[in-house]
Amino acid sequence: MRSKKLQKGYSALDTISEPINDKGIVFSKAELDKLLVNDLSSTVGGRQLLESYSQSEVREIVENHKSPENQRKLIEISEKLYAKSPQYRRLISYYSYMSLFAYVLTPRKHISNLSDEEVESDYYKVAEFLGNMDIKTTFPKVIEDAMIRDVFFGYVHVTDDDFYIQKFDNSLCKISSVEKGVFNFSINMSMFSMDEDRLIFYPKEVNVKYNAWKRAKNSKSKNKKALSDWVELDAENTICIKINENSIESFPPFSGSFDSIFDIEAFKSLRKNKEELNNYQMVHQKLPMNENSSEINDFSIDMDFMSYFHNMIVEMSPENVGVVTSPMDIGTIKFERDRVDSDGVAKAERDFWSASGTSQSLFSTERDTSQGLNLSVKNDEQQVFKIMNQIEKWINRFIYFKIKKSNFKINILPITHFSKKESYDLYLNASTYGNPVKFHLGAVLGVEPIEYSGLVHLENTVFKLHEKLIPLASSHTMSTSDVIGGSTDEGGRPKSESDEISDEGLRARDKPSETS
């Protein structure tokens, strides 16, 4: 905030036709306006989170989300908030990358009547096919995009050793049908008629169907008026994942938290404004008047002389100091920070996480009980499992299209990074009673079916590691008589893991022993 100098050569005749006194030492109204050299409105109260939308406009758009135009605006707002709001970005990432995407292959048909060679060949064929898809890397990105826009529209490019999903712009697509429990979509061909050069960036199927649509539009047929601009793409080549499955409208899942994001920014802006006001100071110099004169505005110095001293002080003053020259007495001016809700930003952030239905303790140091936090995470997991089920259906449909006679299907296990240990213990205990879940154990460890089968073959058949490796000496492989000095058992039950006991138990464990 730099003080401005006063300009010389400003004539009183610009606004006043006659001088007020005989000396002609007068200031015009325009000149007096220039005496206030710093305007705080340029730095205070003018901030806005999004240039295109105000907070009140966003509220109205969310309220009337069924309008197609408002749905487009909601997607645009969500995209901008994802780029500008760290809280919103972290919320989206939390749900998008929560799933472990651990999966196994399970029979979809009765296979006991098939030979072992047939089953093994079929299993490896599907396992290799899924391995090329790189599921653990590809589909978290799909979920992330869908979380931002509610719907992900993509086109699948697949070869014998490669798999790629090309994302389509949401403004170009809309859901048009459901097949085998999975959404299909159509694209608006009229969008390409305005710029056909765009077609080089789209797959062959789009080009072929556009040309067919264009010929039909240009034909003299009486039915061309009934020809829709929307043309559905083949289900075999497309993928459509929608977060809000129960609604046909596109509605970003966390639109309800947009208002809270604006509140966070508003409180941050308010806090910064208060800091600026607290540091702002003003220097005042009083214009001398002819005390014995009966004339109005009878100054004892002229404009040039006053401007000289005014500008000299401006040159010597730092940026956060304003300079005012006035004929009136001015009292002490303080811009101290008001004690109004100093915790406004923290409160707005708490409101944001509450509006999104997610525990703030996952992203901050806010204290919360471990049991409450675990229950909150489990509730969040249920939301992610719905999306995983939708992706599982799509992959199984994709396997059906590409490997029609396969006897196997994918089963994405309901496991997240938060429940990895719990799930591993569950499958391990189940396997001790003969349940066929060894593949599940490998999946929890991050090993895909094709890798798991190959590693088992390498370890047991090729290298025979079970015959060559000697277990390390430990309490599991040694008896008490093998330990020098006798038994090392200190008695009592083994200590529980820190995430298996309550907060009171953790505090009790950390207390120093009275006997020490």
Side-chain angles (χ1 to χ4, degrees), residues 45-50 55 59 258-274 341 344-345 348-349:
R47 298 179 179 90
Q48 184 171 312
L49 179 58
L50 298 179
Q55 185 171 8
R59 289 173 181 169
F258 288 173
D259 194 36
S260 299
I261 298 175
F262 274 83
D263 286 341
I264 294 173
E265 187 67 19
F267 276 110
K268 285 182 178 180
S269 179
L270 179 62
R271 183 172 63 184
K272 186 173 183 179
N273 293 341
K274 289 178 179 179
D341 195 7
V345 176
E349 289 181 344

Side-chain angles (χ1 to χ4, degrees), residues 96-272:
S96 302
Y97 296 93
M98 179 189 295
S99 173
L100 200 62
F101 272 101
Y103 69 91
V104 295
L105 293 182
T106 56
R108 68 163 75 233
K109 301 177 181 178
H110 182 60
I111 60 173
S112 61
N113 59 336
L114 302 176
S115 66
D116 294 346
E117 290 77 11
E118 288 178 300
V119 172
E120 184 178 21
S121 176
D122 189 11
Y123 181 90
Y124 277 121
K125 187 175 183 179
V126 177
E128 289 178 4
F129 181 77
L130 295 179
N132 289 335
M133 292 177 66
D134 194 12
I135 291 174
K136 296 179 182 179
T137 302
T138 301
F139 288 97
K141 296 177 182 178
V142 170
I143 296 177
E144 184 176 37
D145 191 277
M147 281 286 180
I148 297 172
R149 301 170 180 84
D150 184 41
V151 191
F152 175 85
F153 299 101
Y155 195 91
V156 181
H157 301 269
V158 60
T159 63
D160 292 338
D161 58 356
D162 193 20
F163 178 88
Y164 170 69
I165 297 179
Q166 178 184 358
K167 179 187 177 302
F168 280 6
D169 191 274
N170 285 55
S171 62
L172 184 69
C173 311
K174 73 174 182 180
I175 295 175
S176 53
S177 64
V178 178
E179 182 179 351
K180 294 185 181 295
V182 181
F183 292 114
N184 297 325
F185 68 89
S186 299
I187 60 174
N188 190 351
M189 291 300 179
S190 64
M191 300 287 286
F192 294 111
S193 62
M194 296 181 288
D195 183 13
E196 292 188 351
D197 292 339
R198 295 172 56 191
L199 286 168
I200 63 174
F201 300 108
Y202 287 84
K204 181 179 179 180
E205 180 187 351
V206 175
N207 283 262
V208 170
K209 291 190 174 182
Y210 170 76
N211 290 327
W213 172 85
K214 184 179 179 180
R215 287 193 299 271
K217 275 287 186 181
N218 294 334
S219 68
K220 297 181 180 180
S221 172
K222 295 180 180 180
N223 296 326
K224 69 176 184 178
K225 291 184 178 180
L227 181 65
S228 174
D229 292 338
W230 295 93
V231 177
E232 185 170 283
L233 300 182
D234 294 342
E236 181 178 350
N237 302 319
T238 58
I239 175 173
C240 180
I241 302 298
K242 193 175 190 304
I243 303 301
N244 299 311
E245 292 184 80
N246 298 328
S247 173
I248 195 63
E249 295 87 10
S250 295
F251 189 75
F254 298 111
S255 298
S257 65
F258 288 173
D259 194 36
S260 299
I261 298 175
F262 274 83
D263 286 341
I264 294 173
E265 187 67 19
F267 276 110
K268 285 182 178 180
S269 179
L270 179 62
R271 183 172 63 184
K272 186 173 183 179

Side-chain angles (χ1 to χ4, degrees), residues 4-19:
K4 300 177 182 177
K5 294 184 179 180
L6 300 182
Q7 298 177 358
K8 296 181 179 181
Y10 212 99
S11 172
L13 298 177
D14 291 342
T15 54
I16 302 176
S17 59
E18 296 181 358

Side-chain angles (χ1 to χ4, degrees), residues 375-421:
L375 291 175
S376 176
V377 170
K378 288 186 179 299
N379 182 63
D380 298 339
E381 288 176 334
Q382 298 305 312
Q383 309 305 315
V384 176
F385 292 158
K386 294 179 182 178
I387 308 172
M388 291 166 59
N389 289 337
Q390 196 176 157
I391 293 175
E392 180 184 283
K393 288 181 181 178
W394 179 86
I395 295 177
N396 281 323
R397 189 183 75 167
F398 193 63
I399 294 173
Y400 172 79
F401 285 136
K402 300 301 180 180
I403 313 175
K404 296 184 182 296
K405 296 182 179 180
S406 173
N407 296 300
F408 291 93
K409 64 178 182 178
I410 189 175
N411 179 15
I412 301 178
L413 304 179
I415 304 173
T416 68
H417 290 279
F418 298 98
S419 61
K420 183 176 180 178
K421 182 181 183 303

Side-chain angles (χ1 to χ4, degrees), residues 31-83:
E31 288 174 322
L32 292 175
D33 286 342
K34 288 178 175 290
L35 297 182
L36 183 60
V37 296
N38 267 337
D39 185 4
L40 288 180
S41 64
S42 62
T43 56
V44 177
R47 298 179 179 90
Q48 184 171 312
L49 179 58
L50 298 179
E51 295 180 0
S52 306
Y53 303 96
S54 66
Q55 185 171 8
S56 59
E57 289 173 332
V58 172
R59 289 173 181 169
E60 185 177 349
I61 292 171
V62 173
E63 187 71 22
N64 301 285
H65 67 276
K66 289 187 176 295
S67 163
E69 178 62 19
N70 284 342
Q71 291 172 32
R72 181 193 65 78
K73 290 179 179 179
L74 282 174
I75 293 175
E76 180 184 353
I77 293 170
S78 182
E79 291 172 343
K80 292 184 176 182
L81 290 179
Y82 181 77

